[in-house]
Amino acid sequence: KHVILTDGHEKCVQNNRINVRLQQSAYKTTNTMTLSSSASQKRPCPVDCQLLLWTLEADDIPTPLLDRADLTLISDCTHFEHYHGHLLWTLLSCTKSKTGQVWMCQPDRGQSWQRFCNLMDAVNEASENEEAGPLVSVQEQTFSLLEELHQNFLANK
């Protein structure tokens, strides 16, 4: 397995590189992090950090990232509504087409998440193929405790 941390801001990529080096030095490894904290199950996991800008052009996505990820985890990205198309295309381009998954940790900020879901629905309608099924499927999970803590935070601001 291999982990690639990406961000669209060069300073964030630099911070990620520093965090990886600090993590590596804590575990006395080089260019790897461990996938398990259990001493008997430690396995090296190479970690790279890379700049990735959302794009509608496949040529703009770094070749090492194309159709590579088994799992893409992103957080708090749908609030940039003007770039929803760019985000979706980048996710589809970087994640393995048949077996890959994208996990999105998103707050419900305004209507941005719903608009992103609407875009995914429109893509599915435009690319509908009965044999292959939908290009994108959404399974939402909410965490009531997290939502409750967030609401308490907002109320006590």
Side-chain angles (χ1 to χ4, degrees):
K1 298 294 179 186
H2 189 120
V3 173
I4 302 174
L5 302 174
T6 66
D7 202 286
H9 194 283
E10 184 60 44
K11 290 190 181 212
C12 292
V13 174
Q14 291 170 1
N15 285 339
N16 284 339
R17 286 183 179 129
I18 291 167
N19 286 326
V20 167
R21 274 185 257 146
L22 290 170
Q23 182 73 11
Q24 290 165 347
S25 66
Y27 285 98
K28 309 248 186 305
T29 62
T30 58
N31 295 327
T32 61
M33 293 172 76
T34 55
L35 294 177
S36 171
S37 59
S38 167
S40 64
Q41 295 180 342
K42 284 188 179 180
R43 297 175 298 177
C45 179
V47 179
D48 292 322
C49 301
Q50 191 165 347
L51 184 72
L52 177 63
L53 301 175
W54 303 340
T55 182
L56 292 173
E57 303 295 327
D59 292 342
D60 292 340
I61 297 175
T63 303
L65 296 178
L66 284 173
D67 197 35
R68 176 155 181 201
D70 294 310
L71 175 64
T72 302
L73 174 64
I74 69 171
S75 176
D76 199 18
C77 291
T78 62
H79 58 278
F80 297 117
E81 291 188 46
H82 182 70
Y83 295 101
H84 278 177
H86 298 74
L87 172 60
L88 182 56
W89 177 253
T90 301
L91 290 171
L92 292 173
S93 297
C94 293
T95 306
K96 287 185 179 176
S97 54
K98 300 283 185 204
T99 58
Q101 295 183 26
V102 176
W103 293 5
M104 301 177 72
C105 303
Q106 299 301 133
D108 191 10
R109 182 181 293 137
Q111 293 297 309
S112 64
W113 170 244
Q114 185 55 52
R115 288 187 188 104
F116 190 77
C117 289
N118 293 345
L119 174 63
M120 290 188 289
D121 290 342
V123 166
N124 281 336
E125 288 175 21
S127 64
E128 200 166 322
N129 179 338
E130 288 184 23
E131 292 176 19
L135 183 62
V136 179
S137 63
V138 177
Q139 298 175 355
E140 288 190 61
Q141 289 185 327
T142 58
F143 298 93
S144 56
L145 175 61
L146 187 59
E147 182 63 26
E148 181 183 327
L149 291 170
H150 179 67
Q151 292 303 323
N152 288 339
F153 171 77
L154 292 176
N156 295 319
K157 245 180 155 175

